[in-house]
Amino acid sequence: MEERHKNIKPIYDLVVKKVFCNEAVALQFVQDIFDLSAKSAKLIGGDKIFRANSNVEDDFNIAVDILVELDNHAQVIIEVQLAKQAFFMNRIWAYLCKQVNDNIERLKQNEEERHAIYKKLPPVYVAAIVDRNYFEGDDPISTFLIKEETRNTELKMYVDNDIKEMPLLKIVFLELKKYKPELKESYNKVRWLEFFGNKKYTSEPGEVIDQADDLLNVRNWTKEEKDMYDERTRQLDHQWATYAYAREEGIEYGMQRGMEQGIQQGMQRGMEQGIQQGMQQGMEQGMEQGIQQGMERGKIGTIVNLVKEGIIAKEVGAEKLNITEKEFESYLQEM
């Protein structure tokens, strides 16, 4: 399906931060995805964008992508992932627990009575926008709650003087790769799959989504924002350096496989033509084939990974391999 924006990926971290810095957009997203009747929202975390050469250690940095607070005191963490991570659920749990703990510490400093801390402790929810599938099934939107095992009763909580109960915990996953134009979900939810998935809208998205799309127009960005995006783009050079390394690894792998295959072929032929002559011929042919196959698989695998991570477009990957996009699709499915 044709992309709305050719030169911008809406799911890139710094682009997502810019989108949700618009509090009207953040509020609409939370209302649509979590079915919350909030009237206003404010960004209280995630407005800082780290440069590629910063000293932040990504593996140990638990600063959330986006943190929004609603007028009903509920807080929503919005986390985005391009590549699939084996421990992504653990990271979400760490983000959520840390935020709850931070809220407790903040209330301890402001409240004299202990019971007031629990009275004013807000619920914390998580929205995970992911470019890779994490769950079985075709549903692109998965909502998780805490419920009693046999009666299916949901745990809820009161917030301050609000008489309406709210879910104690709510985590929503948007799996962008599962999007299909014929989805039966409420379009208020589907339009966010189309927005972050860079798909053409199948219906009128609404004024707020139009505002969000305007934020993707680079011509309206500040110089600092453009510099940041350019810096992110320059990281592609590093990715291509990784490709060169993978190519060398492919050669080494091919040589090793070639020797193994050559020995096997040589031994087989040696039984028929003589062990010495067969081993020599088998090793030479096996090494040549192995080197060639290793180089080619290394090149293909690297470019496929770059496309899957959203670093380059599919058509660019196909061009690099000098094949059609349809042929490239088969590699995306295989690897």
Side-chain angles (χ1 to χ4, degrees):
M1 181 178 290
E2 186 180 354
E3 295 181 337
R4 296 194 325 278
H5 300 277
K6 298 296 184 183
N7 301 317
I8 292 292
K9 296 292 184 182
I11 199 174
Y12 276 5
D13 52 359
L14 62 87
V15 180
V16 172
K17 290 179 187 291
K18 181 171 180 60
V19 167
F20 283 121
C21 278
N22 183 310
E23 293 180 349
V25 175
L27 174 62
Q28 190 66 64
F29 176 81
V30 170
Q31 288 176 329
D32 292 345
I33 300 303
F34 290 91
D35 297 316
L36 294 175
S37 57
K39 297 179 181 178
S40 64
K42 62 179 179 179
L43 188 69
I44 61 174
D47 56 331
K48 296 181 179 179
I49 302 174
F50 297 111
R51 294 177 179 274
N53 60 358
S54 72
N55 293 323
V56 176
E57 299 183 38
D58 290 336
D59 289 342
F60 299 97
N61 173 35
I62 57 174
V64 299
D65 282 354
I66 299 291
L67 179 60
V68 175
E69 185 172 78
L70 309 178
D71 60 325
N72 60 9
H73 306 298
Q75 297 175 344
V76 177
I77 295 170
I78 303 174
E79 191 68 18
V80 178
Q81 281 295 319
L82 284 170
K84 187 172 183 177
Q85 296 183 354
F87 300 104
F88 184 48
M89 305 301 174
N90 307 47
R91 291 172 67 98
I92 285 181
W93 187 241
Y95 295 150
L96 195 150
C97 292
K98 180 180 183 299
Q99 187 58 36
V100 172
N101 183 70
D102 289 349
N103 290 335
I104 292 174
E105 294 301 320
R106 172 177 54 81
L107 289 169
K108 281 182 179 179
Q109 297 176 6
N110 299 330
E111 302 296 333
E112 296 180 359
E113 299 181 13
R114 179 172 296 181
H115 74 273
I117 296 175
Y118 303 110
K119 177 182 177 182
K120 295 187 177 182
L121 186 64
V124 180
Y125 306 138
V126 180
I129 305 170
V130 295
D131 201 38
R132 293 292 176 267
N133 296 339
Y134 279 83
F135 309 109
E136 295 181 358
D138 297 328
D139 294 334
I141 301 177
S142 301
T143 301
F144 297 89
L145 303 164
I146 298 181
K147 293 188 176 183
E148 201 280 329
E149 186 173 9
T150 58
R151 297 188 302 275
N152 204 35
T153 304
E154 181 185 352
L155 278 183
K156 294 188 176 183
M157 64 185 292
Y158 290 102
V159 180
D160 202 358
N161 293 321
D162 195 333
I163 61 173
K164 182 179 180 181
E165 289 182 317
M166 300 182 66
L168 181 65
L169 177 67
K170 198 169 189 178
I171 302 176
V172 181
F173 274 79
L174 278 70
E175 299 175 279
L176 301 181
K177 293 299 183 185
K178 291 182 179 179
Y179 167 80
K180 296 178 181 178
E182 62 272 17
L183 285 172
K184 302 301 183 182
E185 291 267 4
S186 164
Y187 190 67
N188 281 354
K189 298 180 186 293
V190 171
R191 59 184 178 175
W192 292 105
L193 293 170
E194 294 173 341
F195 176 80
F196 287 110
N198 206 15
K199 308 296 185 184
K200 291 290 185 181
Y201 296 117
T202 54
S203 186
E204 180 58 43
E207 181 179 350
V208 173
I209 303 294
D210 288 339
Q211 290 181 28
D213 251 336
D214 286 340
L215 295 172
L216 303 184
N217 189 341
V218 180
R219 289 177 295 181
N220 298 330
W221 290 15
T222 65
K223 182 180 184 302
E224 182 183 14
E225 289 170 335
K226 291 178 181 177
D227 290 344
M228 287 182 180
Y229 192 82
D230 288 343
E231 182 177 355
R232 177 68 181 88
T233 304
R234 283 193 293 271
Q235 292 177 6
L236 288 175
D237 293 339
H238 173 70
Q239 298 291 339
W240 286 112
T242 303
Y243 154 69
Y245 172 76
R247 179 175 178 273
E248 295 298 324
E249 289 289 299
I251 293 175
E252 182 178 348
Y253 171 79
M255 291 181 65
Q256 183 173 347
R257 290 292 295 170
M259 291 179 64
E260 294 173 356
Q261 294 175 11
I263 291 173
Q264 292 178 359
Q265 293 176 11
M267 291 180 65
Q268 180 66 30
R269 293 183 180 182
M271 294 176 63
E272 301 171 357
Q273 302 176 6
I275 294 177
Q276 184 174 3
Q277 178 183 0
M279 286 186 66
Q280 180 66 28
Q281 293 177 351
M283 288 179 65
E284 290 177 356
Q285 294 178 7
M287 287 178 65
E288 182 178 353
Q289 294 174 2
I291 291 173
Q292 183 175 357
Q293 292 175 3
M295 290 177 63
E296 188 64 23
R297 295 298 293 182
K299 178 180 179 182
I300 293 173
T302 300
I303 293 179
V304 166
N305 286 335
L306 291 175
V307 173
K308 286 185 175 181
E309 293 176 8
I311 303 301
I312 63 174
K314 182 172 61 180
E315 53 267 30
V316 175
E319 182 180 350
K320 293 290 183 183
L321 295 176
N322 196 26
I323 60 177
T324 66
E325 289 189 34
K326 185 175 182 180
E327 292 173 321
F328 191 81
E329 280 284 357
S330 65
Y331 287 123
L332 287 174
Q333 296 173 1
E334 290 175 5
M335 298 183 174

